[in-house]
């Protein structure tokens, strides 16, 4: 199967026009010795065969629709209103390029402008960009932006309670920079950033500090306190947030974060085994010209009508090249659109109701588990919809039993924090029913 | 003018319903101290499902797209995005996989990703691939980090990276992100890397060079082996920017012609939809001697099945919280399996055929800075038109009146008034002929009626948008006070 | 103008691929004698998948729809069609069920259909339902055939069927299809069935009467019990045309107010999308004494599960090759379950609220032939405007310029220059206010600038289409020779 | 869950405007005694609950995607190109009403005009309508139209080899008419209409004769012969055809049919347990004003541009009321669009290739089965992609065995033709592979 529109007759006419006589002469610009001799790719498939092939492979996967899942840790199975994919599935959106030509792209431009506004509202920040790759790289870009703002400062602090993979990506992003990355330990009782340790690490050399809230363990950090401490030393606060939690938790803008970023998957994007997801990024107005990635701005057209364009493009690689604020080009436009449609559909009350149900249901489960013999809540901080449970019953045994019952998760923490080898990270979203939670408790209590 | 979503709706209106909470509800403050809770709810829209549908359908109609328009945006390979790919991805057993599911529950997707790596290795002529980078630019960054690690491991860290002056902006930007000093190599009069200049710049300080081939002028760099030799001689590595891979499918392989590290843009070559600005995917492939540096985790095949392994101590680490843009990669895999060997080659052939056919038909009307056979795209210059006061951007805007998406403009930087045209293989001769007719008419208009262009587009819902105004005092977020703009047109589209 | 699909494409172009035949192929003539084979292939389009996508996307943009427009088309209940319904139906385990699968393999769908029958019985107040009719008109036909069978069984076949003069055209047409002589009952000055006239016409020759309530003027027939009594007294049956059921949901039940046979239009009341002209579904419900006449097969619940039973010797037979428009019925069931008791009642309330709000706001600008509280819709007359030469149709066409779908015009027949307006419950006050603004402006234009209307619509892609020309020498099929019309606009939308 | 847009505030304002004070006063036009007192419907469900509920029910179905199916008999699982539902899933099409207002409905009107043309081309007839409910009712409408053309003639002939359900529907449609419906037996050796019996039944009283080709048994009838016989007696031929077969078999127009009608489901419409399907209907130009249902015609707009409108509406119920050619109003527009997109995508070669694969694969299976012990082909006529097999092995035993192996069908004929109680109707489409057919043979040979 191929998607070529020209017919053999077309080929003939066109070859003639360009002075060739056979299709295989089209390799003419490639010197003989560079041409490929043998190409070991299987033959093409028709639609029927493709569907059969990839349906068969799909059958080898279990999934969170069939199996109740208690996995979170940066990827969440929230309610996705049906309307969302009816909109993102429109060819006018998903088969367009980045809206370089404003007059031919007002639809996407306006949608992204609305998305920027929603993210700014949700985070309480002044301005948001049009998206970055994912939560992890948005945190890394935040650090890079902070370093650029804090010219001369060469240290970056990151809480050990930030998602381990985010810390890894941050490390990768900074690996070629003359920068020192320092981890603030977490308090082993609270499961939160150790504020005393933080105090000790503060210095004039520190450009910024990255804290996640709720953090990887689900605990809600004392962000206002952290913010105050950092600002007292001229350090920028990068707050990595879970957008759904902002239906309930104080937003970064409220406690003075300088950059709010994170993973927007939870806003209507499918789990899809980890991607494509959505890095969101919001900051203060004064940092606008330092922002990485695309920005949509409002303007007027020749007749004075409101219009939208990509703006402040001089920050970007296609104009500024090696001096750009980031190398990003293709970003995650469709995921941003998805988030916007989801946020519009849930709206002002929906985001609160979703957050509230997450809170209620996760605390119900936590309460039941903590009363179960052999299980205890590992940390004592307040949490949103994730929490760590320690069990002496043998994690791999529990894992096996859960899978047998068709339950996915919770997540064992041993690969992320060796000291938490007896711990499981539970996540509960609004998609769970009391029945499911009770079933889970029953399976664990066997 | 379509109002913003914030300007429609009404307080208390809802577009969703959740299940009734089936537990006794407690006050949030009984779980979380009040000072950690939000005080003022976010001012999100308050609209019905119907409002949402009408709003976004109206917006969608103001967007050019491959599904709706000829879209010859050079360097972007805006080919048709097959619908079967969308359908296959939309199965629950792909959509709803959590990245932390145990490996035994995701053997299907791991198998596909593994297969895709193998297919890409064969298409590109390299030994190993990582699918993790989320787009071309992240692929470049990944590749350069590996280059960096390679030199560091050999105890000879280096300072500079070479890029042609015709290179895409992401190349120098990625170089800078890797801490390299970016050095531009001038092109020669044939639009190719100037080998003399290259030799002059190729010092032991140079970590390597980034190159795309065909280059951004659509011209094949015939001296690529000499370039590779020059770079390798100084211990450097040659990086392939895969944005222009389309015309090489089945024709030549970067790995065979001197490149050590390669990224591909699935959203160009392998037909994954560009999404109005992503998501894409930028898998990176390397020759065997560099494989140890690839990002982790990597998919390994074992007797018991596929597994994600982090057991690569030399790895540069992670670029993405999980494993990359799996939904995009899945589409790329389906596409490659659909086309197969013959289809891939046919794709390259028709990409080249279509571009050269257009070039031939347009050369009488526009300046052709490098008049020779091109690969999948070519660059015109509106130099002739500029003399009449009609610039490349004006021509671009005028095309919108004919329902054609403009070509890439002002890139590559080395061509003044550049119009970079890439028709792709999925367009038919009829469509190309229509484009030629329009471009001829525009050339005529530029001669006879250049004032017209300052108005263009004249039939789009929007007239020329003022980019300078936008940048002067940027408004990047809606503020309530401006809502007096909303008119009764709220319901028009 | 968008070219026809036959005018694009090119000989030999393909938009599909089948698997390669995996068997040795033989000549068709070796299986089937040549004289039974086709000689000339059908002249179908020769287009690519991309051509198909662009063509139909372009066409879709020339269509008003509920998703895109306010659509107050009276009598059609053009409410919002929830997207979740579409998603649920699109599961493989619904889409790919063959109607002749063994019952044990289709218990899920049988359960749903059975449940829908029960829900409809409760909503309508009858005892049994058949889901087989494919639309309202087929429901009417089914109902009348049952009426016919009932009278025949009682040994008293009858000749006439009564319908109000305000009735929908399908009522008399269905009556005629059943062999009945159709007798129209005049409406009284309040737009209701004239009871005196009815009594005069109610002879023992009359099989029954068809009625919709609220009637097509949007007015509730308060004397429905008296009408029923009158019909029942002569041994006739009362038939409920369910097109106007929407405002009765949870408010009143046809079965409780004298009706014996009822059809519902799922594509009106129960939000199944109208599809640009179907498919719909027209389930028919009856009181117990008529249940034996319902079409076969019927779904019966047994200990072992659900079963399709043909064991009803008095049944009127089959109306559909299988069991009706299952895909549509499934959506209706989902919708009813979504709304539930409270949602159904709220639906009726807001349907009535919206209509009366509009009526109040428009009464100063247009003639209101029956000025009283309406139910879910109402009828205006453009009598006043006609004096200026502006007719109902002109107003309808002018609305298109404002992106509003016109109301139903010239129906019911008893109102001159009728504009029949049904906003439905899913529209918001803002949308209604916009409509009012436009209607006011139009009324003003009719006063001040009546000539404008002969041009309307002026902003649609199309100006007024000539229906008389179309009917004079009908062209209902494209013929190749007219292809000289195709222009370079082939690629415009 | 409901889909109401008005808020409580709106309710207040609006009630006030119409002079009411509470929502429940909106029942005012309904006399007290007619009002409903008790409404026993379950409470509403949210999206999540709806999906769970209806996913659970779906699980109780097996289907032709998972299980290879050999069921046909009027409903066929053919290849549906992916592109089809991407188009029919566009809200602009599926949420529109019948295109009464031409200027607001050019998209659907043009699509239906194209559909009419494709059906006319495929059947070889002059003109097709915009659709009828399904194949069975289109056959019934054909008989009614023929009766109306042949005023005074009161007999309708129908072959016993026409789909039994179509004959039932025909009977229902004619049951209130003063018309005699007479069946022509089928030849028990050939499995085709018994032409000798036909000869005996021909008379001047006969208005029309309905023959299906390929008939219910899959056999290809001698349509040209039948046509000649009928026309010699002034009888109209109604040919009920399977559109996919017309990629290969002589079309009705070629052998002089007066009406060609049938079921269009096979053109891209899903099986969906029997509906919605698509009645198509084509005839001679001279009968245009007798046609039932909608017709789209070409015209000009005020500026002379080509345009499409519903035409010859004076045939229809909304104008002509009891004198209309049919009572049909809502028809199957979206199914017609589906068929049009499918036919456009398959195109000239695709319809031939699909038909050819059906032919090849079904004959492969037939050949293999006929060599199997205990099985024989029941009829000896040529067939397209369905054929009847007789087995002495016990039909219900075979059925059970097939279902155990996850195979759906073939169809036992005992409920349709008691005399064929040992027979099975097999259908093979292009979706089957040699492997599947071999598997089927193996299962049957156990
Ligand atoms: C030549 C070239 N290189 C690199 C890129 C960057 O790729 P991406 O947008 O996937 O990051 C592009 C994208 O336009 C390109 O054209
Ligand atoms: C009052 C009335 N009765 C009957 C019908 C016929 O219903 P259907 O179109 O479903 O056949 C309609 C449809 O518009 C109608 O409005």
């Amino acid at each position: 199967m191929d998607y070529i529109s020209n017919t053999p007759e077309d080929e003939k006419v066109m070859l003639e026009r360009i002075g060739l006589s056979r299709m295989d002469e089209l390799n003419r610009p490639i010197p003989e010795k560079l041409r490929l001799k043998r190409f070991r790719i299987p033959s093409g498939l028709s639609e029927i065969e493709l569907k059969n092939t990839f349906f068969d492979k799909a059958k080898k996967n279990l999934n969170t629709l069939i199996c109740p899942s208690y996995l979170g840790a940066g990827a969440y199975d929230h309610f996705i209103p049906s309307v969302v994919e009816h909109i993102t599935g429109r060819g006018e959106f998903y088969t367009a390029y980045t809206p370089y030509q404003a007059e031919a792209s007002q639809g996407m431009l306006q949608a992204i402008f609305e998305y920027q506004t929603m993210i700014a509202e949700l985070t309480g920040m002044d301005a948001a960009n049009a998206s970055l790759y994912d939560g992890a790289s948005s945190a890394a870009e935040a650090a890079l932006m902070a370093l650029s703002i804090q010219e001369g400062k060469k240290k970056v602090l990151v809480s050990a309670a930030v998602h381990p993979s985010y810390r890894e990506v941050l490390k990768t992003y900074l690996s070629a920079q003359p920068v020192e990355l320092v981890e603030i330990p977490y308090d082993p009782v609270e499961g939160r950033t150790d504020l005393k340790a933080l105090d000790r690490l503060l210095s004039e050399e520190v450009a910024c500090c990255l804290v996640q809230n709720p953090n990887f363990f689900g605990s809600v950090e004392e962000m206002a306190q952290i913010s105050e401490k950092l600002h007292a030393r001229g350090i920028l606060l990068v707050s990595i947030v879970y957008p759904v939690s902002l239906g309930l938790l104080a937003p970064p803008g409220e406690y003075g974060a300088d950059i709010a970023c994170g993973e927007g998957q939870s806003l209507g994007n499918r789990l899809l085994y980890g991607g494509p997801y959505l890095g969101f990024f919001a900051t203060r107005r004064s940092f606008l010209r330092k922002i990485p990635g695309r920005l949509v701005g409002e303007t007027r057209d020749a007749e004075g009508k409101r219009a939208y364009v990509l703006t402040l493009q001089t920050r970007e690689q296609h104009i500024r090249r090696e001096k750009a604020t980031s190398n990003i080009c293709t970003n995650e436009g469709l995921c941003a659109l998805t988030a916007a449609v989801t946020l519009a559909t849930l709206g002002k009350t929906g985001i609160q109701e979703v957050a509230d149900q997450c809170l209620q249901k996760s605390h119900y489960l936590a309460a039941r588990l903590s009363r179960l013999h052999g299980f205890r809540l590992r940390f004592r901080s307040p949490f949103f919809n994730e929490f760590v449970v320690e069990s002496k019953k043998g994690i791999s045994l529990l894992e096996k039993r859960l899978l047998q019952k068709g339950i996915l998760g919770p997540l064992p923490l041993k690969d992320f924090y060796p000291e938490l080898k007896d711990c499981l990270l539970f996540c509960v979203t609004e998609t769970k029913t009391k029945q499911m939670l009770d079933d889970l408790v029953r399976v664990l209590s066997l | 003018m379509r109002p913003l979503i914030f300007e429609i709706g009404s307080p208390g209106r809802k577009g969703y319903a959740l299940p009734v909470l089936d537990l006794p509800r407690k006050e949030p403050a009984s779980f979380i101290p009040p000072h950690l809770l939000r005080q003022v709810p976010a001012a999100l829209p308050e609209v019905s499902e119907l409002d949402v549908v009408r709003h976004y359908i109206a917006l969608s109609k103001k967007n050019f797209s491959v599904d709706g328009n000829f879209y010859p945006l050079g360097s972007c390979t805006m080919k048709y995005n097959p619908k079967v790919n969308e359908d296959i991805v939309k199965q629950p057993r792909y959509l709803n996989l959590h990245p932390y599911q145990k490996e035994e529950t995701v053997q299907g997707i791991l198998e596909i990703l593994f297969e895709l790596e193998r297919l890409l290795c064969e298409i590109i002529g390299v030994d190993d691939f990582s699918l993790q980078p989320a787009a071309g630019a992240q692929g470049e960054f990944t590749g350069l980090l590996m280059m960096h690690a390679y030199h560091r491991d050999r105890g000879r860290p280096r300072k500079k990276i070479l890029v042609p002056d015709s290179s895409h902006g992401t190349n120098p930007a990625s170089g800078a992100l890797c801490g390299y000093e970016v050095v531009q190599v001038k092109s020669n009069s044939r639009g190719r890397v100037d080998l003399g200049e290259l030799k002059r710049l190729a010092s032991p300080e140079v970590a390597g060079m980034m190159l795309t081939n065909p280059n951004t002028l659509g011209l094949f760099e015939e001296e690529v082996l000499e370039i590779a030799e020059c770079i390798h001689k100084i211990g450097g590595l040659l990086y392939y920017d895969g944005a222009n891979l389309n015309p090489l499918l089945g024709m030549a392989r970067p790995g065979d012609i001197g490149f050590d590290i390669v990224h591909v843009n699935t959203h160009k070559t392998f037909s994954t939809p560009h999404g109005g600005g992503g998501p894409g995917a930028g898998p990176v492939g390397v020759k065997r001697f560099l494989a140890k540096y690839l990002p982790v985790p990597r998919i390994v095949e074992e007797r018991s099945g596929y597994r994600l392994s982090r057991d690569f101590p030399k790895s540069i680490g992670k670029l993405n919280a999980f494993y990359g843009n799996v939904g995009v990669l899945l589409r790329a895999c389906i596409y490659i399996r659909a086309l197969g060997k013959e289809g891939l080659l046919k794709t390259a052939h028709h990409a080249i055929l279509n571009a050269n056919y257009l070039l031939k038909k347009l050369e009488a009307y526009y300046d052709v800075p490098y008049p020779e056979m091109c690969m999948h795209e070519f660059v015109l210059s509106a130099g002739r038109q500029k003399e009449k006061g009609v610039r490349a951007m004006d021509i671009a805007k005028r095309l919108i009146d004919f329902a054609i998406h403009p070509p890439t403009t002002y890139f590559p930087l080395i061509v003044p008034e550049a119009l970079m045209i890439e028709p792709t293989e999925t367009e038919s001769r009829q469509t190309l002929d229509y484009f030629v007719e329009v471009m001829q008419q525009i050339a005529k208009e530029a001669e006879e009626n250049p004032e017209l262009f300052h108005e263009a587009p004249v039939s789009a819902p929007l007239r020329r948008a003022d980019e300078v105004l936008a940048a002067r005092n940027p408004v990047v977020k809606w503020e309530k006070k401006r809502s007096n703009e909303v008119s009764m047109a709220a319901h028009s589209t």
Side-chain angles (χ1 to χ4, degrees), chain A residues 97 329-330, chain B residues 75-76 135-137 140 168 170-171 216 241 243 265 267-268:
Chain A
Y97 203 78
C329 178
T330 291
Chain B
S75 207
C76 299
E140 295 173 16
H168 191 262
T170 51
N171 293 183
T216 61
D241 172 347
N265 306 62
H267 43 297
K268 299 179 197 276

Side-chain angles (χ1 to χ4, degrees), chain A residues 133 137 173 327, chain B residues 132-143 282 284 319-320:
Chain A
Y133 300 135
S137 70
Y173 264 74
N327 71 332
Chain B
Q132 201 170 130
Q138 207 182 31
E140 295 173 16
F141 181 45
T142 306
V284 172
L319 271 297
N320 185 291

Side-chain angles (χ1 to χ4, degrees), chain A residues 54 103 299 331 333 356 360, chain B residues 25-26 94 277 397 463 466:
Chain A
F54 285 90
E103 299 81 359
T299 188
N331 51 10
D356 188 59
Q360 304 289 339
Chain B
R25 182 173 182 278
K26 296 193 187 147
Y94 291 127
K397 299 300 184 194
R463 303 294 291 279
D466 188 341

Side-chain angles (χ1 to χ4, degrees), chain A residues 375-376 378 387-391 394-396 398-399 402 409-414 420-426 444:
Chain A
F375 293 85
R376 71 170 190 108
R378 178 63 181 78
F387 53 93
V388 176
V389 169
E390 190 177 72
S391 172
I395 299 297
S396 54
L398 292 175
E399 282 193 271
L402 289 161
L411 181 70
L413 291 184
K414 67 171 182 313
L420 300 177
K421 64 181 187 332
D422 292 330
C423 292
L424 294 165
L425 179 65
F426 284 80
L444 288 174

